[in-house]
């Protein structure tokens, strides 16, 4: 094998290994079955469905095997030998992160707050959200965040179970809401895919969350956006592929609340999309030529309708945004080079980017209490908004810092410079 080919092969293996590792790290307390693992890895490294299921005769018996699945299981075995994952007792093909592997992550202890990095526009703080936002003096125009998922079994920090999740989110939001500007917004990207123990029925925590935010903070529900993610991994595997009682998931709710609905700063002119070629032709020809009525007369089309030149298309409230983005790839590469555990529950930059443009103006303050890789901070930075983000896990915030190197005034806490996984 040539040296160049050997280098390419080992880079590919490393990528595959990292994808397998991140599948388990994504939700450290949730066991993962092999079907879920294959899908996660295929998505992460770009293996097509056909490639994943293609079977090839192997050995003298000529038995058919999927070589890709076998490669993934080899990485799984390596992780097992490194004592990073363990088999879930009594379940076939179901593995989870070991307690030792979870120690690669360092959660800030209660009361600890450390300035991890900053730019001219913003600061990222390693610490628990509830400790950090208490005495902020600048009004917040937007709090956009994706809180930890509700887990079936709660953990000492971070992920509470589906019964405790509403209180957990509200306790962390309280100091932020106290400082929300009169024209400000709270936006929560939450999961719809939390199931009742052993059942294909979904938790109703989302309904409880909406009521709690409205009742406890006197905020008003403006919108339940649908974030349609066409590249979302298929699942939940058990209820979709095994019992076949569900359809594959492909969206997450994004709940938007306002302090004063009439004063809220949203403006759809900041997020106009390009018109389609067809619409441009329609405007150029002076609009519709025909007359018609729809919806029992509720909508009337007259000659000349849509003839007025407009700057762009007003987006619909279903936000179709794929998961893969250059920022995610840059983050994975930097965190891998630094030897840091990868954050597996990240969002694409396009989601905070859209909402920040829609709900704020340059110079406004945007915050994210559950910052992860500080992607909300990055979108705010790129759009000229001030930002403040917190994250409880040191390794995630350190990996995220690499995304900010090119921005004016970038400063990284020297104590974090050489942080490596234990
Ligand atoms: C769903 S992830 C957010 C991912 C982020 N939007 C991104 O794209 O990178 C939730 C994050 O909240 C962090 N977290 C959990 N409890 C926290 C707390 N009390 N204070 C601050 N961060 C916390 C978790 O470590 C996790 O990184």
């Amino acid at each position: 094998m040539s040296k160049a080919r050997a280098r390419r092969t080992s880079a590919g293996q490393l990528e595959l290994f990292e994808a397998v590792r991140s599948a388990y790290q994504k939700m450290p307390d949730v066991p993962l079955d092999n079907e879920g693992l294959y899908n996660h890895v295929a998505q992460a490294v770009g293996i097509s469905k056909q490639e994943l299921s293609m079977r090839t005769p192997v050995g003298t018996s000529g038995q058919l095997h999927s070589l890709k699945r076998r490669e993934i299981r080899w990485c799984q075995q390596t992780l097992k030998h490194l004592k990073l994952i363990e088999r879930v007792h009594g379940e076939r093909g179901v593995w989870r992160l070991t307690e030792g592997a979870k120690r690669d992550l360092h959660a800030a202890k209660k009361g600890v707050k450390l300035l991890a990095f900053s730019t001219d526009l913003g600061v990222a703080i390693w610490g628990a959200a509830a400790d950090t936002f208490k005495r902020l003096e600048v009004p917040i125009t937007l709090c956009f965040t994706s809180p930890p998922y509700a887990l079936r079994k709660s953990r000492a920090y971070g992920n509470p179970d589906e019964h405790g999740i509403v209180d957990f989110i509200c306790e962390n939001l309280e100091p932020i809401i106290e400082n929300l500007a009169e024209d400000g917004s709270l936006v929560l990207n939450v999961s719809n895919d939390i199931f009742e123990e052993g059942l294909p029925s979904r938790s109703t925590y989302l309904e409880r969350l909406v009521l709690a935010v409205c009742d406890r903070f006197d905020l008003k529900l403006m919108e339940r956006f649908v974030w349609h993610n066409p590249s979302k991994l298929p699942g939940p595997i058990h209820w979709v592929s095994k019992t076949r009682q569900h359809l594959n998931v492909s969206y997450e709710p994004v709940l938007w609340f306002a302090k004063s609905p009439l004063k809220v700063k949203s403006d759809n002119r900041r997020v106009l999309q390009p018109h389609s070629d067809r619409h441009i032709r329609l405007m150029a020809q002076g609009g519709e030529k025909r007359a018609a009525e729809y919806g029992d007369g509720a909508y009337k089309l007259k000659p000349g309708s849509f003839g007025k030149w407009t700057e762009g298309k007003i987006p619909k409230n279903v936000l179709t945004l794929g998961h893969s983005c250059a920022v995610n790839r840059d983050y994975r590469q930097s965190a891998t080079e630094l030897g840091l555990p990868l954050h597996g529950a990240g969002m694409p930059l396009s989601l905070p980017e859209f909402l920040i443009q829609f709900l704020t103006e340059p110079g406004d303050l945007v915050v994210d209490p559950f910052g992860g890789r500080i992607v909300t901070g990055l979108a705010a930075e790129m759009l000229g908004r001030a930002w403040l983000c917190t994250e409880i896990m040191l390794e995630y915030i350190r990996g995220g810092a690499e995304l900010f190197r090119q921005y004016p005034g970038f400063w990284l806490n020297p104590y974090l410079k050489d942080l490596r996984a234990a």
Side-chain angles (χ1 to χ4, degrees):
M1 193 190 289
S2 72
K3 271 191 187 162
R5 188 160 164 228
R7 259 201 308 274
R8 273 201 308 276
T9 311
S10 59
Q13 279 164 354
L14 183 65
E15 195 188 12
L16 195 68
F17 180 76
E18 278 310 325
V20 174
R21 191 162 88 134
S22 90
Y24 293 103
Q25 272 173 341
K26 193 176 166 195
M27 286 195 270
D29 293 287
V30 184
L32 183 64
D33 65 15
N34 279 355
E35 212 49 47
L37 173 69
Y38 298 141
N39 286 325
H40 175 99
V41 175
Q43 178 86 26
V45 302
I47 302 172
S48 68
K49 274 195 183 138
Q50 289 93 316
E51 234 183 315
L52 192 64
S53 49
M54 191 164 71
R55 296 168 135 245
T56 313
V58 173
T60 44
S61 68
Q63 242 191 346
L64 294 177
H65 288 281
S66 157
L67 299 184
K68 280 290 167 212
R69 284 172 193 241
R70 203 159 69 163
E71 265 184 78
I72 294 171
R73 286 198 303 274
W74 279 337
C75 297
Q76 192 185 45
Q77 286 305 307
T78 311
L79 286 174
K80 177 189 141 187
H81 291 305
L82 291 170
K83 298 199 172 21
L84 294 175
I85 58 169
E86 63 195 359
R87 197 187 278 277
V88 175
H89 186 67
E91 297 210 42
R92 208 176 129 77
V94 182
W95 296 75
R96 69 170 162 224
L97 224 50
T98 58
E99 284 305 312
K102 287 183 211 164
R103 283 201 295 271
D104 269 3
L105 292 172
H106 292 91
K109 297 223 161 56
K110 201 168 164 37
V112 168
K113 279 175 273 177
L114 181 80
L115 177 56
F117 70 92
S118 61
T119 65
D120 286 349
L121 283 177
V123 290
I125 291 176
W126 176 47
D131 294 336
T132 309
F133 287 92
K134 268 181 191 144
R135 277 172 290 277
L136 208 63
E137 273 162 20
V138 189
I140 296 166
T141 305
L142 170 64
C143 169
F144 170 60
T145 195
S146 175
Y149 293 146
L151 296 180
R152 241 173 261 138
K153 274 196 179 162
S154 68
R155 211 166 138 167
Y157 59 84
N159 298 58
D161 65 15
E162 67 126 335
H163 304 289
I165 190 80
V166 171
D167 283 339
F168 171 82
I169 294 176
C170 288
E171 277 157 25
N172 280 285
L173 290 179
E174 195 171 339
I176 296 177
I177 309 295
E178 272 172 19
N179 222 17
L180 200 62
E182 208 44 43
D183 53 7
S185 294
L186 164 71
V187 181
L188 303 174
N189 164 216
V190 279
S191 174
N192 185 41
D193 304 316
I194 308 300
F195 289 83
E196 294 185 299
E197 176 107 50
L199 296 172
S201 44
R202 281 178 158 83
S203 159
T204 54
Y205 89 97
L206 282 180
E207 283 70 19
R208 286 187 278 116
L209 179 63
V210 171
L211 294 176
V213 168
C214 293
D215 294 348
R216 292 189 206 180
F217 302 131
D218 198 22
L219 295 189
K220 304 290 179 191
L221 179 65
M222 295 291 289
E223 180 60 285
R224 297 179 176 96
F225 290 112
V226 168
W227 167 27
H228 170 225
N229 176 358
S231 42
K232 202 169 171 61
L233 291 173
I237 300 291
H238 187 78
W239 306 118
V240 174
S241 305
K242 294 188 179 155
T243 70
R244 310 288 279 234
Q245 287 164 288
H246 264 299
L247 305 181
N248 277 321
V249 299
S250 105
Y251 81 94
E252 285 183 14
V254 175
L255 307 170
W256 169 28
F257 303 88
K259 189 160 173 181
S260 305
L262 290 173
K263 293 187 186 157
V264 76
K265 215 176 207 178
S266 52
D267 189 334
N268 64 34
R269 286 167 297 190
R270 288 195 294 261
V271 286
L272 292 178
Q273 295 167 343
H275 283 305
S276 65
D277 290 346
R278 192 163 162 257
H279 195 82
I280 291 173
R281 280 200 301 276
L282 186 65
M283 289 189 296
Q285 72 177 30
E288 288 288 349
K289 301 254 180 278
R290 59 205 169 108
E293 273 190 20
Y294 302 99
D296 287 337
Y299 296 99
K300 289 196 173 89
L301 207 60
K302 299 184 294 218
S305 295
F306 303 113
K308 206 171 124 212
W309 193 265
T310 52
E311 259 180 273
K313 185 168 80 174
I314 299 173
K316 302 221 160 144
N317 61 1
V318 173
L319 312 173
T320 300
L321 306 165
H323 212 112
S324 84
C325 84
V327 162
N328 286 351
R329 287 190 288 276
D330 290 349
Y331 161 78
R332 282 165 53 89
Q333 187 176 345
S334 318
T336 307
E337 280 166 13
L338 287 167
L340 294 170
L342 292 178
H343 193 294
M347 58 178 65
L349 180 76
S350 49
L351 185 60
E353 200 177 30
F354 178 88
L355 292 161
I356 291 171
Q357 274 178 299
F358 179 44
L359 299 170
T360 70
E361 290 177 304
D364 287 339
L365 176 62
V366 174
V367 305
D368 184 348
F370 302 111
R373 302 150 313 147
I374 320 298
V375 171
T376 303
L378 184 64
E381 176 80 35
M382 289 168 143
L383 294 166
R385 274 68 167 173
W387 56 271
L388 168 58
C389 298
T390 51
E391 165 56 45
I392 204 164
M393 296 297 182
L394 189 55
E395 287 73 12
Y396 295 158
I397 208 166
R398 172 64 189 90
E402 293 302 309
L403 301 171
F404 289 78
R405 282 201 179 272
Q406 71 197 80
Y407 291 98
F410 176 75
W411 176 87
L412 175 65
N413 189 322
Y415 291 107
L416 305 189
K417 197 168 155 277
D418 296 318
L419 181 75
R420 290 266 185 290

